[in-house]
């Protein structure tokens, strides 16, 4: 009997690990906005039929064009949220497929990487940037990690990200989710998982000591303690 699928939440995606296959798909809540857009688009088209005799031709044309643009785009978003996937790892085909986004319904492949062309799976820091704002800043900052497939040619292909509050009670959980997903992909592709994200450990006397930025984690089904040591 096949084991049940394991879900690892990422940033705006979920990593679904099954026997012989891993899918990185939009999270379940991603369907809400496309459904709202679809409803609005259909309502606009219906409004043209209902109020054709009472509204001006110009206004009817604007409403119809808006409805015809919004409804198909939202429909593609709904389909992508239900059946689309951004990245698919398949043991049987020995390949990792990077698929198109909403406009391609998450079905068309734009990058196909055979397992033998993969050098490693990497967990790296993901720069969030610093946009200027006049609004009050939150009481905590954010930390993010990027799961990257590195090809033997050196090309780097982002697979997914994890964002977490940079707090002691949350940062370990966020890093573990990124590492869990990377290790699942590494185990299926039989490639090493390398942690290049900056990691800090707290010494016994309370001083913060900087850890070596690069460490290698064996790709296996079982993982030991978190490298953060928090």
């Amino acid at each position: 009997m096949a084991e049940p699928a394991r879900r690892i939440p990422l940033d705006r995606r979920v990593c679904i690990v099954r026997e012989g296959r891993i899918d990185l798909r939009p999270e379940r809540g991603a369907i809400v906005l496309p459904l709202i857009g679809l409803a609005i688009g259909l309502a606009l088209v219906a409004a043209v039929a209902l109020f054709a005799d009472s509204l001006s031709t110009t206004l009817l044309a604007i409403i119809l064009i808006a409805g015809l643009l919004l409804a198909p785009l939202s429909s593609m978003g709904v389909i992508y949220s239900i059946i689309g996937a951004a990245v698919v790892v398949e043991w049987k085909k020995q390949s990792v497929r990077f698929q198109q986004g909403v406009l391609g319904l998450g079905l068309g492949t734009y990058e196909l990487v055979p397992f033998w062309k993969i050098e490693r799976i990497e967990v790296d820091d993901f720069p969030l940037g610093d946009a200027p704002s006049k609004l009050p800043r939150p009481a905590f900052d954010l930390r993010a990690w990027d799961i990257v497939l590195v090809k033997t040619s050196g090309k780097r292909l982002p697979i997914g990200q994890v964002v977490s509050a940079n707090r002691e009670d949350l940062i370990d959980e966020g890093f573990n989710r990124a590492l869990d997903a990377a290790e699942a992909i590494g185990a299926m592709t039989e490639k090493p998982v390398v942690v290049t994200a900056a990691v800090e450990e707290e010494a016994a006397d309370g001083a913060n000591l900087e850890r070596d930025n690069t460490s290698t984690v064996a790709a296996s089904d079982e993982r030991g303690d978190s490298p953060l040591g928090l």
Side-chain angles (χ1 to χ4, degrees):
M1 185 177 179
E3 295 182 0
R6 184 161 61 100
R7 301 176 66 90
I8 305 172
L10 307 177
D11 181 39
R12 293 176 293 179
R13 290 180 183 175
V14 59
C15 178
I16 303 175
V17 183
R18 301 184 180 90
E19 184 177 353
R21 182 183 174 104
I22 297 175
D23 293 272
L24 280 93
R25 301 177 52 186
E27 59 186 4
R28 291 171 177 172
I31 196 174
V32 175
L33 287 179
L35 280 177
I36 294 174
L38 179 60
I40 294 174
L42 295 176
L44 291 175
V45 174
V48 172
L50 293 174
F51 302 103
D53 297 332
S54 59
L55 298 177
S56 66
T57 304
T58 303
L59 184 57
L60 287 173
I62 294 174
I63 295 174
L64 180 60
I65 292 173
L68 292 178
L69 290 175
L70 187 58
L73 290 175
S74 299
S75 299
M76 288 189 290
V78 171
I79 296 173
Y80 175 64
S81 300
I82 296 174
I83 65 173
V87 182
V88 179
V89 184
E90 292 183 280
W91 167 257
K92 184 178 293 186
K93 296 182 179 180
Q94 292 285 292
S95 65
V96 180
R97 298 199 317 270
F98 291 81
Q99 303 189 137
Q100 297 174 2
V102 175
L103 294 180
L105 302 182
L107 301 176
T109 301
Y110 73 85
E111 184 91 30
L112 180 67
V113 184
F115 285 178
W116 61 271
K117 284 190 175 182
I118 302 174
E119 180 178 326
R120 65 184 183 273
I121 307 298
E122 194 171 294
V123 180
D124 196 6
D125 284 311
F126 182 72
L128 294 173
D130 188 16
S133 174
K134 296 181 180 180
L135 298 176
R137 292 290 183 181
F140 55 86
D141 60 347
L142 297 175
R143 179 77 183 276
W145 300 272
D146 197 9
I147 305 167
V148 183
L149 183 151
V150 182
K151 299 176 64 175
T152 54
S153 64
K155 185 176 182 180
R156 300 169 64 85
L157 298 171
I159 296 175
Q161 295 79 38
V162 174
V163 180
S164 173
N166 194 9
R167 287 170 33 185
E168 184 175 353
D169 56 338
L170 297 175
I171 193 171
D172 189 60
E173 187 272 339
F175 178 84
N176 282 341
R177 285 190 281 120
L179 189 58
D180 283 344
E183 286 187 338
I185 297 170
M188 188 163 293
T189 59
E190 298 182 343
K191 300 298 178 181
V193 176
V194 178
V195 179
T196 57
V199 177
E200 291 185 352
E201 289 184 336
E202 184 173 309
D205 59 357
N208 290 330
L209 299 178
E210 190 176 58
R211 187 177 176 178
D212 181 14
N213 285 346
T214 306
S215 60
T216 302
V217 183
S220 62
D221 292 332
E222 294 184 0
R223 177 174 51 79
D225 294 336
S226 167
L228 293 178
L230 296 178

